[in-house]
C-alpha cells in the first residue's frame, strides 16, 4: 500500500535574497564546487541538485537573485515561484541584519499577499488572503569566519515576531562551515514546515495540528480506555516508522513525559496530554519530520487536511457491477463497533454512536432520522451490531466513495496496514449473472413502486421489525428512502435493500435510476379498486421487455378485497405476462416470506425453477413451470437422485484409492 510518511511534493525550489555583498552567490557556488570561489559573478545561474544527493531524496532547484541584474518585478515572480526563501545577511554587518525586518520580510509578505488577493474572488477571500499562506523563510548569517561571536540572540527575537521564519543558521561560504546544513534547513522548511504545526510565540501546537493528533490518538487507542499502553504504542510505532519501539527507549520516553507533564502518564500508559506534549517536544527540538511522518501516515497533507488520494483511492467498477463490503471491511467495522460499545450490550447508544464518529468531520448519517429508521434496532431504539453492518452495507452499495472516506477517517488504512480497496469487493457484471442465471452478489436492491396510499412504505418498514402489527396506523414522518435487513436464501445470508420509490403523480415518468434494480416489487392496495391500474401500467411500460424479475404485491389483504377497475384482474394479469401470482401482504399477519421471495428472485434472475420453494403446484402453471402431468418435477427429482448417486460413487472411489495408498 502507499505509505503516507513523506511529503507529496516532487521538488523543492529555494530562492536566495539579501543585500548586495552579503555572499548569496558565494554560498551557492561553494555548495556546488565544495570550495570557495576566487572569482564571484554578479549572480549564479539556477542550478538543480539531483534527488539522490539530497538528504530528503527530492530534486532541489537553487535560485540566486541580484538587485543589480534583475528588477523588483522579477523578484516578485521568483518569490511566488519559490517554495522557500533564504534571506542572507552578513554577520559582521548590522545594517544587513536590520534590513531583514525593515525591508526583506515585509517585501516577501507583500508579494505573497498580492498574489493571493489577485486570486481571491470575494471580499471574504481577499480578507483571508491578508492573513495568507506565508512563504517559509530561513535566515542565513554568512561570513561567520570573520567574527568570534554569534548573532543568534538577535535572530531569535526576529523569529518570535515573524512566524513564517522556520529556522536560522550561521555559516561561512569561505570555510564551507554549515553550507550543507543551510540548504538542508531550506529543504526541511518546505517538506516538514513548522508553521502548520506550531505557534512559535505561544510555544504550543496549532489548533489544526492538535485536532489531527487527537484523532490519531483515538484511532490508536484500540481498547478505548483513553490511554496508549505499551502494546498500542508499539503498534503505533510500527505503523508509522516500520520498526518496533525498544523497551529502553519506551521507558525513557515515559520518563520525559512524566517529568514535564505530571498527568501525561497514568497506570504506566500515555495519556492524551502526554501524547500531545511528546509531539510538541519533537517540534521544539527541531524534529518536525517525526510529527510529519505520523500525520502523513494517517492521511494528512501539508495543510493538515486529509489527502484525497488517501480518502478516495481509484476504484474501477465495470458497468453492471456493484460494490459490497469485503470480509476484511466487515471485520474492521465489527472491531470498531465493539470498541465503542462501552457497556457491551450489543448496541450503540446515541452517545456511543457520537463518540465513535468523533474522529470524523461529521457522522455519515443522522442517528435519529436515518440509521434508526433504515436498519434493525433493539427495543430501546439503539442500533445493534447487525443493524450497524446493514447500514454500512447499504452505504457501500449506493455510495462506495463515502464508505471509503469514512473507513479512512476511522483508521482502516492504519489498523489493517493496507489500502482502502481491501475493504471493498466489486461484484461481477450483471450480464454474467443473467447468463449463468445465478447472482454472485450478497447484496440486492429491490425497488418498491406503487401509488400513494398503497402501503409500500409500511411494507418497507415492516422488513426491519419483528412485530409488524406495531406499524399499523403509524404515520411515517421521516423521509427515509432505503430499508435494509438480511434474509436467508437457500441457507446463505443475503442483504436485501428496499428502496421506496416516491410517486407524486400517477402520470409522472420513472427515471432510469428508479427502474433499474435487482428485483422490482410493484405494490397495489387490494382494498382500493383503482390501485392496480397504476401497477399494471408501470409493468407494461418499464418491465415487460426487461430482464428484471418482478413481484406484484397486493397489500392490506386483511381488509375486504375489491375487484380492480382494470381490463384484467391481478391474477389474470400475472398469468398473461407469466409472472408469479400476486402476493397478498398485510402488516397484521406478520408474515415475512415476501422478503425471502424477493431476495431469491434477485439471487436467481431468469431462473424461475429456483423460486418453486415458495409455491404450491397449482401456482406453477401460471409461468410454465408445471405441466398437467407434473413431468418437470419428475425430471427434476430424477436428476437430483442421479446427481446424488454419482457423488456417492465418486466419494467411495476416492476413499478406496486413499486406503490403497496407505
Amino acid at each position: 500500500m502507499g505509505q503516507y510518511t513523506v511529503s507529496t511534493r516532487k521538488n523543492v525550489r529555494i530562492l536566495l535574497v539579501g543585500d548586495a555583498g552579503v555572499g548569496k552567490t558565494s554560498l551557492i557556488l561553494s555548495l556546488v564546487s565544495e570550495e570557495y570561489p576566487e572569482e564571484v559573478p554578479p549572480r549564479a545561474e539556477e542550478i538543480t541538485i539531483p534527488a539522490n544527493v539530497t538528504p530528503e531524496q527530492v530534486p532541489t532547484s537553487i535560485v540566486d537573485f541580484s538587485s543589480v541584474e534583475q528588477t523588483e518585478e522579477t523578484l516578485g515572480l521568483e518569490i511566488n515561484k519559490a517554495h522557500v526563501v533564504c534571506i542572507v545577511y552578513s554577520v559582521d554587518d548590522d545594517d544587513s541584519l536590520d534590513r531583514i525586518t525593515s525591508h526583506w520580510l515585509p517585501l516577501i509578505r507583500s508579494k505573497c499577499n498580492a498574489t493571493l488577493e489577485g486570486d481571491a474572488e470575494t471580499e471574504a477571500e481577499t480578507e483571508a488572503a491578508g492573513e495568507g499562506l506565508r512563504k517559509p523563510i530561513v535566515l542565513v548569517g554568512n561570513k561567520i569566519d570573520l567574527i568570534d561571536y554569534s548573532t543568534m540572540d538577535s535572530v531569535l527575537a526576529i523569529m518570535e515576531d515573524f512566524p513564517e521564519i522556520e529556522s536560522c543558521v550561521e555559516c561561512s561560504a569561505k570555510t564551507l562551515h554549515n553550507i550543507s546544513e543551510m540548504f538542508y534547513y531550506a529543504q526541511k522548511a518546505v517538506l516538514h514546515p513548522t508553521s502548520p504545526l506550531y505557534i512559535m510565540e505561544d510555544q504550543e501546537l496549532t489548533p489544526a495540528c492538535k485536532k489531527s493528533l487527537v484523532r490519531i490518538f483515538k484511532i490508536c487507542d484500540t481498547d478505548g480506555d483513553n490511554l496508549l499502553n505499551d502494546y498500542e504504542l508499539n503498534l503505533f510505532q510500527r505503523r508509522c516508522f516500520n520498526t518496533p519501539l525498544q523497551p529502553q527507549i519506551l521507558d525513557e520516553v515515559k520518563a520525559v513525559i512524566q517529568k514535564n507533564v505530571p498527568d501525561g502518564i497514568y497506570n504506566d500508559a500515555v495519556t492524551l496530554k502526554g501524547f500531545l506534549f511528546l509531539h510538541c517536544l519533537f517540534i521544539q527540538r527541531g524534529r518536525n519530520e517525526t510529527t510529519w511522518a505520523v500525520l502523513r501516515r494517517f492521511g494528512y497533507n501539508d495543510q493538515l487536511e486529509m489527502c484525497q488520494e488517501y480518502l478516495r483511492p481509484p476504484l474501477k467498477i465495470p458497468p453492471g457491477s456493484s460494490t459490497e463490503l469485503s470480509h476484511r471491511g466487515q471485520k474492521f467495522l465489527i472491531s470498531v463497533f465493539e470498541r465503542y460499545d462501552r457497556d457491551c450490550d450489543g448496541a450503540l447508544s446515541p452517545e456511543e454512536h457520537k463518540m465513535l464518529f468523533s474522529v470524523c468531520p461529521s457522522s455519515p448519517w443522522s442517528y435519529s432520522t436515518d440509521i434508526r429508521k433504515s436498519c434493525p434496532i433493539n427495543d430501546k431504539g439503539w442500533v445493534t451490531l447487525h443493524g450497524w453492518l446493514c447500514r454500512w452495507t447499504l452505504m457501500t452499495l449506493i455510495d462506495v466513495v463515502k464508505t471509503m472516506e469514512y473507513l479512512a477517517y476511522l483508521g482502516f488504512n492504519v489498523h489493517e496496514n493496507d489500502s482502502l480497496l481491501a475493504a471493498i469487493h466489486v461484484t461481477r457484471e450483471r450480464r454474467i449473472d443473467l447468463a449463468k442465471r445465478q447472482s454472485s452478489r450478497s447484496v440486492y436492491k429491490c425497488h418498491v413502486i406503487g401509488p400513494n396510499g398503497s402501503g409500500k412504505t409500511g411494507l418497507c418498514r415492516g422488513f426491519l421489525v419483528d412485530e409488524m402489527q406495531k406499524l399499523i396506523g403509524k404515520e411515517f414522518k421521516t423521509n427515509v428512502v432505503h430499508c435494509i435487513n438480511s434474509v436467508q436464501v437457500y441457507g446463505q445470508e443475503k442483504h436485501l435493500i428496499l428502496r421506496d420509490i416516491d410517486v407524486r403523480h400517477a402520470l409522472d415518468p420513472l427515471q432510469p435510476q428508479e427502474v433499474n434494480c435487482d428485483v422490482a416489487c410493484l405494490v397495489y392496495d387490494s382494498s382500493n379498486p383503482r390501485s392496480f391500474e397504476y401497477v399494471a401500467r408501470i409493468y407494461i411500460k418499464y418491465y415487460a421487455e426487461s430482464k428484471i424479475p418482478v413481484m406484484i404485491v397486493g397489500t392490506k389483504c386483511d381488509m375486504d378485497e375489491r375487484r380492480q377497475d382494470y381490463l384484467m384482474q391481478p391474477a389474470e394479469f400475472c398469468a398473461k405476462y407469466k409472472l408469479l401470482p400476486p402476493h397478498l401482504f398485510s402488516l397484521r399477519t406478520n408474515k415475512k416470506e415476501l422478503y425471502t421471495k424477493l431476495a431469491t428472485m434477485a439471487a436467481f434472475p431468469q431462473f424461475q425453477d429456483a423460486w418453486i420453494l415458495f409455491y404450491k403446484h397449482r401456482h406453477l402453471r401460471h409461468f410454465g413451470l408445471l405441466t398437467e402431468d407434473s413431468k418437470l418435477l419428475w425430471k427434476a427429482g430424477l436428476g437430483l437422485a442421479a446427481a446424488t448417486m454419482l457423488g456417492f460413487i465418486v466419494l467411495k472411489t476416492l476413499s478406496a484409492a486413499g486406503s490403497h495408498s496407505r
Side-chain angles (χ1 to χ4, degrees):
M1 66 168 292
Q3 296 289 326
Y4 292 82
T5 54
V6 295
S7 174
T8 55
R9 190 177 295 281
K10 296 181 179 180
N11 58 75
V12 173
R13 188 177 179 86
I14 303 171
L15 173 65
L16 271 65
V17 300
D19 292 348
V22 295
K24 303 184 296 297
T25 307
S26 297
L27 287 170
I28 297 173
L29 297 178
S30 293
L31 174 73
V32 175
S33 63
E34 297 185 352
E35 62 180 5
Y36 182 67
E38 295 298 331
E39 295 184 5
V40 181
R43 184 175 69 89
E45 295 296 325
E46 178 180 333
I47 65 168
T48 298
I49 302 174
N52 60 351
V53 296
T54 64
E56 296 292 338
Q57 299 294 298
V58 177
T60 302
S61 299
I62 302 175
V63 180
D64 189 13
F65 174 75
S66 170
S67 58
V68 176
E69 292 190 356
Q70 295 171 292
T71 64
E72 187 169 323
E73 182 180 358
T74 303
L75 174 61
L77 293 173
E78 289 295 350
I79 287 173
N80 284 298
K81 285 166 62 178
H83 300 135
V84 58
V85 178
C86 293
I87 302 178
V88 183
Y89 68 95
S90 178
V91 294
D92 66 338
D93 182 356
D94 290 341
D95 289 341
S96 68
L97 179 60
D98 292 340
R99 275 176 54 82
I100 292 175
T101 54
S102 64
H103 175 72
W104 289 109
L105 284 169
L107 175 67
I108 293 168
R109 278 188 175 184
S110 67
K111 296 298 183 183
C112 294
N113 289 338
T115 301
L116 288 169
E117 289 170 6
D119 293 339
E121 297 181 359
T122 66
E123 185 177 343
E125 288 176 345
T126 303
E127 185 177 346
E131 296 296 324
L133 293 171
R134 292 168 179 166
K135 192 77 65 176
I137 303 291
V138 176
L139 300 183
V140 180
N142 190 24
K143 305 183 183 181
I144 190 66
D145 58 291
L146 299 180
I147 60 173
D148 55 4
Y149 58 88
S150 174
T151 60
M152 282 296 104
D153 289 341
S154 301
V155 172
L156 290 173
I158 297 173
M159 289 181 70
E160 292 180 0
D161 296 331
F162 293 86
E164 62 264 46
I165 299 176
E166 289 283 330
S167 57
C168 53
V169 60
E170 291 180 331
C171 60
S172 170
K174 189 171 185 178
T175 65
L176 307 184
H177 178 68
N178 277 350
I179 295 295
S180 297
E181 286 78 2
M182 165 201 154
F183 289 101
Y184 167 70
Y185 288 140
Q187 265 194 340
K188 188 176 175 181
V190 178
L191 302 176
H192 312 298
T194 303
S195 55
L197 308 180
Y198 193 72
I199 304 172
M200 193 69 68
E201 53 266 36
D202 297 336
Q203 297 286 293
E204 65 177 30
L205 300 172
T206 63
C209 180
K210 192 177 295 184
K211 181 180 178 182
S212 303
L213 290 173
V214 168
R215 170 182 168 262
I216 292 170
F217 180 90
K218 289 181 177 180
I219 289 174
C220 294
D221 179 20
T222 54
D223 58 8
D225 63 352
N226 296 318
L227 298 168
L228 295 183
N229 57 35
D230 288 0
Y231 171 80
E232 291 165 338
L233 286 169
N234 260 300
L235 184 63
F236 166 78
Q237 175 77 10
R238 286 197 300 269
R239 291 292 183 262
C240 294
F241 304 104
N242 295 317
T243 180
L245 199 59
Q246 298 301 320
Q248 182 181 350
I249 296 176
L250 182 56
D251 291 340
E252 291 173 357
V253 168
K254 289 180 182 178
V256 171
I257 295 174
Q258 184 74 63
K259 181 180 178 181
N260 291 275
V261 186
D263 53 353
I265 302 293
Y266 180 78
N267 285 345
D268 200 36
V270 178
T271 65
L272 176 59
K273 280 189 177 180
F275 185 73
L276 294 176
F277 164 77
L278 199 58
H279 285 281
C280 199
L281 188 63
F282 287 147
I283 297 166
Q284 289 171 347
R285 293 183 176 180
R287 291 175 55 189
N288 302 13
E289 63 273 14
T290 302
T291 298
W292 273 116
V294 171
L295 291 166
R296 286 168 180 147
R297 180 64 181 87
F298 281 80
Y300 292 95
N301 62 17
D302 291 350
Q303 289 73 47
L304 293 184
E305 298 171 346
M306 297 291 283
C307 300
Q308 289 304 303
E309 60 268 26
Y310 187 89
L311 295 174
R312 304 176 181 180
L315 176 65
K316 185 177 180 180
I317 306 174
S321 295
S322 62
T323 47
E324 303 174 0
L325 286 170
S326 69
H327 175 70
R328 288 178 67 182
Q330 293 181 31
K331 183 180 176 183
F332 171 75
L333 289 170
I334 291 171
S335 69
V336 172
F337 180 96
E338 292 174 344
R339 187 193 316 170
Y340 285 91
D341 180 17
R342 301 295 171 85
D343 52 8
C344 299
D345 63 348
L348 291 179
S349 67
E351 185 60 30
E352 289 170 339
H353 184 270
K354 182 179 178 181
M355 284 296 298
L356 189 153
F357 285 112
S358 64
V359 297
C360 307
S362 61
S363 174
W365 47 67
S366 166
Y367 188 89
S368 58
T369 62
D370 184 320
I371 192 169
R372 293 175 61 187
K373 308 294 183 182
S374 61
C375 60
I377 55 177
N378 66 9
D379 294 338
K380 295 180 181 179
W382 296 354
V383 181
T384 62
L385 175 59
H386 176 59
W388 166 256
L389 291 175
C390 281
R391 189 59 185 84
W392 278 93
T393 298
L394 168 60
M395 185 164 72
T396 304
L397 183 74
I398 64 177
D399 192 351
V400 68
V401 172
K402 190 173 182 180
T403 291
M404 290 195 294
E405 285 184 10
Y406 276 87
L407 285 172
Y409 290 137
L410 293 171
F412 177 89
N413 311 57
V414 178
H415 283 297
E416 296 295 316
N417 200 29
D418 207 341
S419 164
L420 288 172
L421 300 181
I424 306 299
H425 168 65
V426 179
T427 66
R428 72 186 183 191
E429 298 175 47
R430 181 175 172 79
R431 62 180 179 82
I432 301 176
D433 288 345
L434 292 173
K436 293 181 176 292
R437 299 197 294 176
Q438 181 176 356
S439 174
S440 62
R441 307 179 185 192
S442 62
V443 184
Y444 304 117
K445 185 164 56 175
C446 171
H447 287 185
V448 183
I449 306 171
N452 287 328
S454 62
K456 63 184 190 313
T457 304
L459 183 151
C460 292
R461 298 293 178 87
F463 189 33
L464 307 179
V465 298
D466 293 329
E467 299 178 21
M468 293 192 291
Q469 302 96 321
K470 293 181 179 180
L471 299 177
I472 296 174
K474 187 174 182 179
E475 184 180 355
F476 302 109
K477 296 180 180 179
T478 54
N479 186 28
V480 174
V481 176
H482 298 94
C483 294
I484 179 171
N485 205 341
S486 62
V487 295
Q488 292 289 321
V489 176
Y490 289 109
Q492 293 185 333
E493 185 180 61
K494 304 290 186 180
H495 282 91
L496 181 65
I497 298 172
L498 302 181
R499 180 184 174 187
D500 187 348
I501 302 298
D502 184 29
V503 178
R504 293 174 180 166
H505 302 288
L507 298 179
D508 285 352
L510 297 180
Q511 299 301 314
Q513 62 270 24
E514 295 175 322
V515 175
N516 296 326
C517 55
D518 296 306
V519 59
C521 179
L522 306 185
V523 180
Y524 73 97
D525 179 356
S526 63
S527 66
N528 182 350
R530 297 183 178 180
S531 185
F532 180 71
E533 181 179 2
Y534 175 81
V535 166
R537 291 181 182 275
I538 288 292
Y539 177 80
I540 293 171
K541 184 174 181 180
Y542 297 105
Y543 292 104
E545 301 298 327
S546 80
K547 295 182 179 180
I548 298 173
V550 175
M551 167 79 75
I552 291 181
V553 177
T555 59
K556 307 179 186 179
C557 68
D558 56 303
M559 303 174 67
D560 292 336
E561 185 176 358
R562 301 287 299 276
R563 183 176 178 79
Q564 296 296 313
D565 295 340
Y566 187 62
L567 299 174
M568 290 175 281
Q569 294 306 296
E572 296 176 85
F573 184 88
C574 291
K576 177 180 178 180
Y577 288 99
K578 292 190 176 182
L579 298 174
L580 300 178
H583 181 99
L584 299 181
F585 175 85
S586 171
L587 293 174
R588 199 176 299 277
T589 61
N590 203 41
K591 294 181 179 179
K592 294 199 168 189
E593 66 269 19
L594 168 64
Y595 307 114
T596 305
K597 290 180 183 181
L598 291 169
T600 304
M601 294 170 70
F604 298 94
Q606 304 300 306
F607 187 32
Q608 295 176 331
D609 302 50
W611 309 345
I612 64 175
L613 177 65
F614 310 110
Y615 295 94
K616 295 180 180 179
H617 296 175
R618 66 178 182 273
H619 291 151
L620 300 179
R621 297 188 184 92
H622 286 303
F623 43 92
L625 287 184
L626 189 67
T627 60
E628 294 295 334
D629 56 1
S630 303
K631 286 183 179 179
L632 177 66
L633 289 182
W634 182 80
K635 289 179 179 178
L638 188 61
L640 182 62
T644 304
M645 181 60 69
L646 179 62
F648 176 75
I649 293 171
V650 170
L651 181 62
K652 190 173 182 180
T653 303
L654 291 174
S655 299
S659 62
H660 285 308
S661 64
R662 288 194 293 270

